[in-house]
Amino acid sequence: MLKNKISIFFILLVINLINIPVFSIEPNIFVQSTVNRASQILNSNNSKDKKIEELKLVAKDTVDIKGIGLYTLGKYRKQIKDDEKIKYHDLFEKYFLKSFSSRLAEYSNPKIEVKNQEILNKNYTIVSSVLVATDERPEVKIDWRIYTKNPEKPLIRDLIIEGLSLARTQKEEFSSIIESNNGDINLLFINLEKFIKN
């Protein structure tokens, strides 16, 4: 009798787990939420160093840093050794977080308005927005390439600012460095390490 009750319990548990609704996050809401978080940090009275550390946490939570890193390696991601790939991922994350947070920390009161979104396929959505103009700067169009393979955890894969892809620009820069060293990635490592330390 007890065995039958336990069996029924597990059957009901499985049915309930199957029927638990999966909550997806709309990419446009995700982007607006992300920029609101960043804006709140930038508008705080905290020191620049504190803002930078908080912005790094936002980036770790919302940006597909590993995916961007692999993309920026281009054809070389299939050519480098496993130990070099591990080293690259570590250096790229540190490089990205420093570059992203230190540049963003220079902005004061950045107001970004999300306009619309275009679903490209199940994995990608483009969210269009504008950085609102002020007396010091003109309006800037920003498109966000959002990776939506997991609808519960969308991630930023690229920013296209006035038509210029930041990921593609980074890819071209890294490719130029590696090619100047006859395909040896070590020169890229040296450049990334210098940036991180300075």
Side-chain angles (χ1 to χ4, degrees):
M1 187 71 175
L2 179 61
K3 188 177 180 181
N4 287 339
K5 285 183 178 179
I6 292 172
S7 297
I8 291 169
F9 169 77
F10 278 110
I11 290 169
L12 289 172
L13 179 63
V14 169
I15 290 170
N16 283 329
L17 287 173
I18 290 171
N19 290 321
I20 289 174
V22 175
F23 296 102
S24 60
I25 303 170
E26 283 296 318
N28 58 342
I29 295 171
F30 164 71
V31 169
Q32 191 66 68
S33 172
T34 301
V35 298
N36 289 348
R37 286 172 65 188
S39 182
Q40 192 172 20
I41 292 168
L42 294 170
N43 290 329
S44 73
N45 294 322
N46 292 330
S47 67
K48 183 178 178 181
D49 287 343
K50 176 69 173 173
K51 289 179 181 179
I52 285 173
E53 291 309 309
E54 291 179 347
L55 289 169
K56 284 181 180 179
L57 293 177
V58 173
K60 283 183 179 182
D61 188 41
T62 60
V63 179
D64 185 4
I65 300 174
K66 188 171 183 179
I68 295 172
L70 283 172
Y71 173 79
T72 54
L73 265 185
K75 64 181 181 182
Y76 296 103
R77 70 177 177 269
K78 294 181 180 179
Q79 299 175 14
I80 64 175
K81 301 171 186 174
D82 287 343
D83 59 330
E84 290 175 327
K85 195 173 286 186
I86 291 168
K87 183 176 181 179
Y88 172 74
H89 282 312
D90 179 59
L91 287 174
F92 182 80
E93 179 171 313
K94 291 174 182 173
Y95 163 83
F96 178 88
L97 290 173
K98 181 177 180 179
S99 176
F100 162 84
S101 58
S102 57
R103 287 178 186 174
L104 194 56
E106 299 296 331
Y107 281 90
S108 58
N109 194 29
K111 186 178 180 184
I112 293 178
E113 293 180 353
V114 171
K115 298 297 184 182
N116 52 59
Q117 64 180 11
E118 178 188 358
I119 299 171
L120 302 180
N121 51 54
K122 67 177 183 178
N123 290 339
Y124 288 102
T125 294
I126 297 292
V127 176
S128 298
S129 69
V130 294
L131 177 64
V132 178
T134 66
D135 293 338
E136 290 79 32
R137 64 169 186 262
E139 179 181 281
V140 179
K141 292 180 181 178
I142 304 173
D143 290 336
W144 308 67
R145 187 175 179 87
I146 307 300
Y147 186 53
T148 53
K149 187 173 183 179
N150 179 358
E152 296 176 75
K153 181 64 178 174
L155 292 168
I156 300 165
R157 273 276 177 94
D158 193 12
L159 289 184
I160 301 102
I161 300 176
E162 292 291 343
L164 182 66
S165 162
L166 298 188
R168 187 175 302 148
T169 301
Q170 193 72 80
K171 177 183 175 183
E172 291 168 357
E173 182 184 339
F174 283 7
S175 178
S176 176
I177 292 170
I178 298 170
E179 286 174 9
S180 72
N181 199 36
N182 298 316
D184 187 346
I185 198 171
N186 282 296
L187 184 60
L188 177 59
F189 290 163
I190 291 168
N191 277 269
L192 292 177
E193 286 167 346
K194 281 182 180 176
F195 179 85
I196 293 164
K197 289 175 181 176
N198 290 339

